Amino acid sequence: MNITDHKTFALEAFDTLFNRRDYEAAARFWSPGYIQHSAHIPPGREGLFNLVKALPAGRRYENALAVSEGDYVFLHGRFSRTGQAKALIAADILRIADGVFAEHWDVLQDEATKEESKSGLPMFGSSFPVQIASPLTVSPLTIGEARRIVAPLYDALNEPAKKDVPALLAAAAHPSYRSHHTNEEWLSRDQLVSIFEGMGKTIPDLRWEIKDIQVIGDQVIVRGEATGTPASDFWGAKPTGKSFKTMAIDIFTVKDGKLASAYHVENWMTALQQIGK
């Protein structure tokens, strides 16, 4: 595949996945072992495809520039109709190996209005966006959008020791995020990183599955199931080689497309009973 073919290949791939949403056809462009370097997209080809499936209908990718060098393709584009207040301007870097995308890096920014642009020049194309929706005119949160927003947080709870927990939490939550474990007490996003990483060391096979998700206005309610086998002291209990399966309820508030706060309850008493039997 030559340089021109690389650019054609990349543009056809992005149109197939993001505009046409033909996932069967898109699988021909992305490697099953696809490596994803992004604070916004879950790992692997499956993580990317699931994110796109959760996005609003009508999402659109437009390309302004495609450059190829060796096995790499560089794309400058815009993702619009995302359900958020602003379109996203994207710089994507993709590595091609054996005729498919093998690896990806990206940089994403909200598209600036004319009033916001310090240079007085648009970020994409030759003109500024005609209209930027205010938060009051953004469509109500859908189940699919809610899944996309919370996905990185739950990904960080699946074998945390193997994940970039800070990046995943940053993708899901605002820097000012508050995670309430009582009505009064809460942890910051940075403090939560330590909690997740500690759980990953204590329970190496920790899994956290979304069993049900509901949306009420700007709130997302998740019924989850946590499973795992503690390898060291867990809430004061010695490891016995036994596993647990317990329920968790999380109530999130979403602001500007990210998690602003959470109130959560986990049935750890049942988990301790199960590992102690």
Side-chain angles (χ1 to χ4, degrees):
M1 189 183 297
N2 61 37
I3 289 177
T4 301
D5 289 338
H6 278 177
K7 292 189 289 187
T8 302
F9 176 87
L11 294 175
E12 183 181 353
F14 270 48
D15 182 62
T16 300
L17 178 60
F18 296 108
N19 296 337
R20 291 162 43 202
R21 291 187 157 190
D22 186 340
Y23 303 105
E24 183 177 352
R28 296 186 289 106
F29 296 93
W30 274 268
S31 167
Y34 181 63
I35 301 170
Q36 176 66 56
H37 302 270
S38 175
H40 311 278
I41 307 172
R45 183 175 74 181
E46 182 179 358
L48 172 63
F49 283 20
N50 286 340
L51 180 143
V52 177
K53 290 175 183 178
L55 292 172
R59 174 169 176 151
R60 187 76 184 165
Y61 174 77
E62 305 165 83
N63 181 263
L65 180 67
V67 178
S68 183
E69 180 177 334
D71 294 330
Y72 292 86
V73 180
F74 304 79
L75 302 178
H76 177 227
R78 173 168 59 191
F79 291 97
S80 57
R81 304 175 192 170
T82 63
Q84 304 303 316
K86 295 185 177 183
L88 289 174
I89 306 303
D92 292 282
I93 304 172
L94 301 117
R95 180 174 65 85
I96 296 175
D98 299 323
V100 291
F101 291 139
E103 200 164 4
H104 171 255
W105 298 258
D106 66 13
V107 179
L108 299 173
Q109 286 185 290
D110 288 341
E111 185 172 16
T113 64
K114 185 174 183 179
E115 293 72 23
E116 293 168 336
S117 174
K118 299 297 184 184
S119 67
L121 297 173
M123 296 174 66
F124 185 87
S126 59
S127 61
F128 288 97
V130 174
Q131 182 179 2
I132 298 294
S134 71
L136 294 177
T137 63
V138 175
S139 301
L141 195 64
T142 67
I143 296 290
E145 290 165 348
R147 284 188 178 275
R148 175 184 61 80
I149 291 168
V150 303
L153 184 145
Y154 286 96
D155 187 24
L157 281 168
N158 283 280
E159 300 186 334
K162 298 180 180 180
K163 302 293 177 62
D164 186 344
V165 174
L168 288 169
L169 289 182
H174 289 287
S176 58
Y177 178 70
R178 293 186 176 190
S179 178
H180 293 262
H181 49 280
T182 74
N183 284 325
E184 296 81 23
E185 299 172 307
W186 53 271
L187 297 175
S188 69
R189 192 180 75 183
D190 290 341
Q191 290 172 321
L192 205 60
V193 168
S194 299
I195 297 296
F196 281 24
E197 291 176 340
M199 291 181 71
K201 293 176 182 178
T202 301
I203 314 167
D205 64 346
L206 179 65
R207 302 293 298 172
W208 213 291
E209 181 182 356
I210 295 176
K211 306 299 285 188
D212 187 28
I213 185 166
Q214 299 293 328
V215 174
I216 303 175
D218 63 354
Q219 291 191 315
V220 178
I221 302 158
V222 177
R223 174 171 60 86
E225 183 176 86
T227 60
T229 309
S232 57
D233 284 8
F234 178 58
W235 297 116
K238 299 293 183 182
T240 61
K242 296 180 180 179
S243 301
F244 65 81
K245 179 169 69 174
T246 192
M247 186 177 72
I249 300 293
D250 298 296
I251 303 174
F252 300 100
T253 298
V254 175
K255 181 179 179 182
D256 298 331
K258 282 193 172 187
L259 303 177
S261 66
Y263 288 84
H264 59 92
V265 178
E266 296 84 28
N267 190 1
W268 293 125
M269 183 60 70
T270 294
L272 292 172
Q273 291 172 345
Q274 291 171 350
I275 64 177
K277 290 181 179 178

